[in-house]
Amino acid sequence: MFQKKYTNADFYKDGVFQPEVAKKAYYEMFEYYGYPVTELIEKEAWYTDFGLGDFEHCGMGGIFWVNDSVNQYFSHDIYLLPCQMIPEHSHVKTKFPAKMESWMVRNGMCYNFSEVGEPTANAPVVPTSQQATTICKHCVEQHVGEVIHLPAIGTWHFLYAGNQGAIVHEYANYHDNAGLRFTQSAAKL
């Protein structure tokens, strides 16, 4: 069973995020799940705490396999350590259409939160650092092989990993970073 091993004390040195420690933590999860570390992953994967200083609870790793503005398509793998969430966000129209996305869990499981739908009874409690700004109350447990679609373009949403972390495939139209909005004003990609 893959378990949480690292804390913020590991991920920060003198208050500065240490992406190499994050990479090590994700690589341990990859090994557990048999997720191959290819040359492209080694070169292009990225790890972020979104500038929030709470990577243990709110952060992610990922790799953009494709992000094609000409042909308007996108493919991404999202890496979430145990009980780690992506900050709540939405995508708005810029010179490109707002991003519509779908997710499929490859390994582990996650909770797929949305502002669309009735509040979910007994939903997992989001990390303390995110509670004041999180508005999504509807969530669906998403397990390996299950596909969930964003319920409506432009709506708030986020993923929150279960106790064993998650590797999630995301499919969408072109991701224009200028269209990314967070409910927590300090968050940035």
Side-chain angles (χ1 to χ4, degrees):
M1 173 189 248
F2 186 74
Q3 296 180 349
K4 188 174 194 171
K5 178 177 172 183
Y6 295 86
T7 68
N8 280 334
D10 300 303
F11 294 125
Y12 295 90
K13 183 176 180 182
D14 299 323
V16 177
F17 178 57
Q18 303 296 302
E20 287 301 314
V21 178
K23 177 181 177 179
K24 181 180 180 205
Y26 286 120
Y27 276 32
E28 289 173 8
M29 184 174 75
F30 297 168
E31 183 177 352
Y32 175 81
Y33 284 123
Y35 181 84
V37 176
T38 65
E39 188 175 318
L40 185 61
I41 289 173
E42 185 64 36
K43 181 180 170 190
E44 298 290 331
W46 45 270
Y47 315 96
T48 181
D49 73 347
F50 296 93
L52 298 175
D54 187 22
F55 188 76
E56 176 185 352
H57 304 107
C58 189
M60 70 176 284
I63 184 167
F64 289 174
W65 299 114
V66 177
N67 195 24
D68 186 330
S69 63
V70 174
N71 297 298
Q72 294 289 303
Y73 72 110
F74 172 87
S75 178
H76 176 214
D77 274 2
I78 296 168
Y79 311 135
L80 293 169
L81 294 171
C83 302
Q84 188 180 48
M85 73 177 270
I86 301 171
E88 186 176 65
H89 62 283
S90 68
H91 304 277
V92 300
K93 180 181 176 183
T94 61
K95 67 180 184 177
F96 299 99
K99 186 176 167 199
M100 176 60 189
E101 38 195 342
S102 299
W103 306 272
M104 184 190 75
V105 174
R106 174 185 168 138
N107 302 100
M109 68 81 59
C110 66
Y111 300 93
N112 193 310
F113 276 82
S114 172
E115 71 172 301
V116 177
E118 294 297 316
T120 302
N122 302 315
V125 177
V126 298
T128 302
S129 67
Q130 302 305 302
Q131 289 177 3
T133 57
T134 300
I135 62 173
C136 293
K137 303 295 183 211
H138 178 78
C139 87
V140 176
E141 280 191 30
Q142 189 174 1
H143 298 273
V144 172
E146 295 176 347
V147 177
I148 293 180
H149 310 287
L150 183 68
I153 293 175
T155 55
W156 298 106
H157 60 280
F158 66 91
L159 298 176
Y160 179 48
N163 291 334
Q164 293 185 323
I167 299 172
V168 180
H169 294 312
E170 179 184 319
Y171 310 96
N173 54 305
Y174 175 68
H175 175 75
D176 179 14
N177 216 27
L180 180 61
R181 302 289 185 272
F182 294 100
T183 53
Q184 190 165 111
S185 59
K188 61 186 181 298
L189 186 57

